[in-house]
Amino acid sequence: CGNNRAWPMLKVGFSHSTILDPHGKYNIKWRFDRRTISFEIEVETRGYIGFGLSPNGAMASSDIVIGGVTDGTPYLQDYFADANRKVHRDVQQNYRLQYGRENSTHTVLAFSRHLLTCDTSDKDITESTVRVIWAYHSEDVGPSGPMYHGVNRGGRVCGYSTQEVKLIFPLRLTFSTLPFKDTTYWCQIFKIQKFQKKHHIIRIEPLIQRGHENLVHHILLYQCDSALNESELKAGHECYHPNMPDSFLTCETIVFAWAIGGEGFTYPPHVGLSIGTSIDPVYVLMEVHYDNPAFQQGVVDSSGLRLFYTPELRQYDAGVIETGVWVSLYHMLPPGMQEYISEGHCTRECLQESLGQEMPSGVRVFAVLMHAHLAGRAIRTRHFRGQEELQPLSHDEEFDFNFQEFQLLKEERLLLPGDNLITECKYTTKDRQNMTWGGLTTRDEMCLSYLLYYPRVNLTRCESLPEINGQLKFIGVKEIQMPVTTWPFIIKSPKKYSNLSFTEAMDKYRWSKNRGKSFNEMVLQLPMNVRCSRWGQDEWSIQGTMVSPPEVKSEVKPPSMVCRSASEPHSGVVLLFTMGLTYSIVQTCLSL
């Protein structure tokens, strides 16, 4: 932040810190407990500092605090912006100034507020994604209010400092030019460093090439067949392509998942990702999804992952289970819907068979990454045991496509044989004219939850897909052409759909809000095709069977959080908030 500061940037008392702007002029530190969050902000300015919480990353309806130091006296005011982006002073001042100081170049402000304030003009800080807006000005706030900040603003994702470890190795792509299209999946196989004994990976970070932060949408790491030939270790190739190497087909077991906006992930102290044993990865395939809607040309990328590992073993080996809706065209969303709900089931039949044989005492889930695309608005991973619904494993009521991060659970959750999970995704397609299909591109949709758990068992995917016949009958399809020789398959009757693919027939149907709602209600009751996969290309015997969705007699919502005004005492208030801004801050531009 420059060399002219009269005081050091101390981290004492603050557990997290980051620099918000690319020039190192806006620095923030924060800490939180179950009731309160506290900030210290240092900015290279002698004017005002602006900081706020936004429901959607924009100025409208934001909760804002603005302060500075004038003639040696610090000041702080609580503001909010209305739906038209006009800024008002909040009648209920819930931000509390702790201290402020200024020298010849910098201003420092420290302040705090309750996570929940009972003020409708404030933004509650919950476990859902929290977006931060910020700005600063060279002059202090005058009688007429804060002046426009100009270009003093910016945006990127905050994270937390890495854990110190002894050993590191990177996995970076090596290829020439990105294909000239809006969506590319690029794959490359790597060999894991050979070890004489077992080690644990304890942290994984994204290595996103500078300037490509908006291009790299997600990175998946898969375990491949350990018998691959060394000749397979060569330049990458487009994934899911007819001419891709056959070796790619052996890479099925998910080892790790990262998505856009996420920072690195540190495993809990008692858990690590095992490498070096006979069942651990020897070769891994890294799949990188590039989202290039602007069709940038000549893009050469070398993004990847950085793995931190140690010979000091943890107590448990971690695993990953992919749950939700099996990615397929059979997952479809009608156009023009303000809200449409999809459910992907990790069925009790799959968990009974797999955990019943592998770990009858159950496994413990400690983190969840929820994943959808542009139409996604909210996701939760629901948990059922017998006829009882437990509290959700995870939830994000303000899902942001550009910020997807593992949520560490407040308390590890025991997952038993016979339990079942539902990944529930809420979408908005109100601005779309045609069907939205389940698929790989950004304009397609997904509904997935990646569960990190221990101890590791032989289960990699636990998903479902609504059967297609009921969906076709809804639009009046009576018969398809047999045998099926093309994909998507072709409709035979009625005449209005004759010789159309089923996707063309679905798009031809005259959708309305009421028809879309009826279709949604019907799909949620359809029998489901079960996906229940082992390591590699093996399957549990339940895979491919059809089961009915479980009957949910009563729905459990995420626990409500008790708010209180700034005047209420601290004692006796319990808040179910632990992650705070550690994993959930996203910054965007503040435009007053």
Side-chain angles (χ1 to χ4, degrees):
C1 202
N3 299 318
N4 298 321
R5 290 178 294 194
W7 54 83
M9 275 286 285
L10 298 177
K11 285 191 177 182
V12 176
F14 289 93
S15 52
H16 313 287
S17 65
T18 193
I19 300 172
L20 300 190
D21 75 308
H23 307 294
K25 294 185 176 183
Y26 199 116
N27 295 259
I28 181 173
K29 297 186 289 187
W30 68 91
R31 64 173 178 264
F32 58 88
D33 55 31
R34 296 168 66 139
R35 306 180 182 91
T36 305
I37 188 162
S38 299
F39 300 92
E40 182 185 272
I41 299 178
E42 178 181 1
V43 183
E44 188 178 321
T45 183
R46 288 176 53 82
Y48 75 72
I49 295 171
F51 179 82
L53 306 172
S54 167
N56 54 18
M59 185 67 185
S61 304
S62 293
D63 176 13
I64 303 167
V65 61
I66 298 176
V69 179
T70 301
D71 298 327
T73 302
Y75 64 91
L76 190 80
Q77 291 289 329
D78 186 352
Y79 292 86
F80 68 92
D82 60 25
N84 296 317
R85 300 167 60 212
K86 185 176 181 180
V87 178
H88 306 270
R89 185 180 182 276
D90 198 339
V91 174
Q92 186 173 315
Q93 294 284 301
N94 291 312
Y95 287 88
R96 297 178 293 280
L97 176 67
Q98 295 177 342
Y99 54 84
R101 54 181 180 257
E102 187 178 72
N103 66 9
S104 60
T105 59
H106 289 75
T107 298
V108 169
L109 283 177
F111 53 90
S112 64
R113 56 154 278 190
H114 294 315
L115 301 174
L116 304 180
T117 63
C118 301
D119 183 351
T120 56
S121 298
D122 288 343
K123 178 76 173 69
D124 290 342
I125 300 176
T126 69
E127 289 177 325
S128 294
T129 300
V130 178
R131 300 167 182 83
V132 169
I133 56 175
W134 57 274
Y136 62 93
H137 198 277
S138 59
E139 297 185 28
D140 283 297
V141 176
S144 59
M147 289 176 286
Y148 178 63
H149 52 67
V151 298
N152 296 327
R153 59 186 182 181
R156 67 174 184 82
V157 177
C158 283
Y160 56 94
S161 59
T162 64
Q163 175 182 339
E164 184 177 351
V165 293
K166 297 179 180 179
L167 306 165
I168 302 171
F169 64 85
L171 305 175
R172 280 189 178 275
L173 293 179
T174 54
F175 68 91
S176 53
T177 304
L178 200 68
F180 179 60
K181 53 184 181 179
D182 63 344
T183 296
T184 298
Y185 280 75
W186 195 265
C187 288
Q188 184 172 341
I189 293 179
F190 299 85
K191 185 175 183 180
I192 295 292
Q193 180 177 330
K194 188 174 181 179
F195 298 99
Q196 299 301 317
K197 62 177 184 178
K198 180 177 178 177
H199 287 62
H200 268 143
I201 294 171
I202 61 175
R203 179 171 171 78
I204 300 179
E205 293 179 349
L207 290 170
I208 308 302
Q209 183 169 322
R210 186 181 296 275
H212 293 182
E213 291 82 2
N214 292 328
L215 286 171
V216 181
H217 174 263
H218 73 244
I219 301 176
L220 294 179
L221 201 62
Y222 297 89
Q223 181 172 343
C224 303
D225 189 334
S226 59
L228 289 182
N229 192 293
E230 292 286 337
S231 64
E232 301 286 356
L233 302 177
K234 53 187 178 181
H237 193 283
E238 193 168 350
C239 320
Y240 312 107
H241 190 279
N243 296 328
M244 73 180 186
D246 291 340
S247 57
F248 287 9
L249 297 174
T250 74
C251 309
E252 290 284 340
T253 303
I254 295 174
V255 176
F256 186 76
W258 172 89
I260 187 169
E263 293 291 305
F265 180 80
T266 299
Y267 288 84
H270 55 298
V271 185
L273 186 61
S274 178
I275 50 176
T277 78
S278 61
I279 63 172
D280 292 336
V282 175
Y283 301 98
V284 292
L285 179 140
M286 186 165 64
E287 171 191 299
V288 182
H289 172 192
Y290 293 95
D291 180 33
N292 185 21
F295 290 91
Q296 296 183 42
Q297 299 188 51
V299 176
V300 178
D301 184 74
S302 61
S303 296
L305 297 171
R306 178 189 289 124
L307 283 61
F308 296 73
Y309 65 98
T310 175
E312 299 176 7
L313 298 181
R314 306 293 181 79
Q315 184 177 0
Y316 298 106
D317 295 339
V320 182
I321 303 174
E322 180 183 281
T323 70
V325 179
W326 192 341
V327 179
S328 168
L329 289 176
Y330 293 174
H331 176 208
M332 57 188 86
L333 319 177
M337 300 298 295
Q338 179 65 38
E339 180 177 287
Y340 187 91
I341 297 176
S342 292
E343 291 182 349
H345 295 252
C346 178
T347 65
R348 61 171 54 92
E349 291 85 358
C350 177
L351 292 179
Q352 182 64 60
E353 182 181 11
S354 58
L355 297 187
Q357 292 188 32
E358 292 276 314
M359 193 63 59
S361 59
V363 298
R364 293 191 175 273
V365 179
F366 60 88
V368 181
L369 171 65
M370 298 171 289
H371 182 67
H373 287 177
L374 291 175
R377 293 297 179 268
I379 308 179
R380 58 177 172 154
T381 309
R382 302 167 67 185
H383 185 192
F384 298 82
R385 179 165 297 154
Q387 298 299 314
E388 179 184 2
E389 181 173 5
L390 309 179
Q391 285 295 334
L393 273 177
S394 60
H395 63 96
D396 191 341
E397 304 305 317
E398 298 184 37
F399 175 79
D400 188 336
F401 168 78
N402 291 309
F403 181 75
Q404 303 185 42
E405 179 73 289
F406 270 107
Q407 286 188 6
L408 276 171
L409 305 191
K410 295 181 291 294
E411 295 182 359
E412 294 175 350
R413 183 71 63 84
L414 180 64
L415 187 62
L416 293 172
D419 285 2
N420 62 288
L421 304 172
I422 298 177
T423 300
E424 178 189 272
C425 297
K426 292 182 180 180
Y427 302 100
T428 294
T429 63
K430 61 180 181 179
D431 297 324
R432 301 191 178 190
Q433 303 301 313
N434 295 311
M435 295 291 290
T436 297
W437 304 100
L440 299 176
T441 76
T442 304
R443 288 286 294 179
D444 293 333
E445 268 308 328
M446 295 185 180
C447 180
L448 299 171
S449 294
Y450 293 94
L451 312 182
L452 293 186
Y453 72 94
Y454 69 87
R456 178 177 52 174
V457 297
N458 195 348
L459 176 63
T460 60
R461 287 184 172 91
C462 184
E463 299 168 323
S464 74
L465 190 64
E467 60 93 11
I468 188 62
N469 291 332
Q471 299 183 72
L472 293 175
K473 287 180 180 178
F474 183 89
I475 66 168
V477 171
K478 296 180 179 179
E479 189 178 3
I480 67 173
Q481 291 187 9
M482 298 295 289
V484 174
T485 58
T486 61
W487 179 255
F489 57 77
I490 304 301
I491 306 298
K492 184 176 182 180
S493 67
K495 185 176 179 179
K496 65 178 178 179
Y497 297 138
S498 180
N499 294 320
L500 296 180
S501 68
F502 88 83
T503 54
E504 292 171 331
M506 281 286 178
D507 272 330
K508 185 176 181 179
Y509 183 72
R510 297 182 62 181
W511 292 100
S512 66
K513 292 180 181 178
N514 287 336
R515 288 176 174 178
K517 182 179 179 181
S518 297
F519 180 76
N520 196 177
E521 293 171 351
M522 181 272 300
V523 168
L524 294 178
Q525 299 301 317
L526 285 176
M528 307 172 299
N529 192 315
V530 173
R531 190 179 198 187
C532 192
S533 304
R534 297 174 183 252
W535 297 334
Q537 296 176 296
D538 293 336
E539 303 168 354
W540 289 96
S541 65
I542 193 68
Q543 174 146 324
T545 60
M546 301 296 292
V547 301
S548 297
E551 182 179 349
V552 179
K553 296 182 178 180
S554 61
E555 184 177 353
V556 173
K557 297 289 188 181
S560 59
M561 300 174 66
V562 181
C563 66
R564 64 153 180 240
S565 64
S567 61
E568 292 183 59
H570 286 259
S571 61
V573 178
V574 178
L575 295 175
L576 298 175
F577 180 93
T578 58
M579 288 170 52
L581 301 181
T582 308
Y583 309 98
S584 301
I585 288 187
V586 178
Q587 294 102 37
T588 55
C589 300
L590 173 63
S591 53
L592 297 176

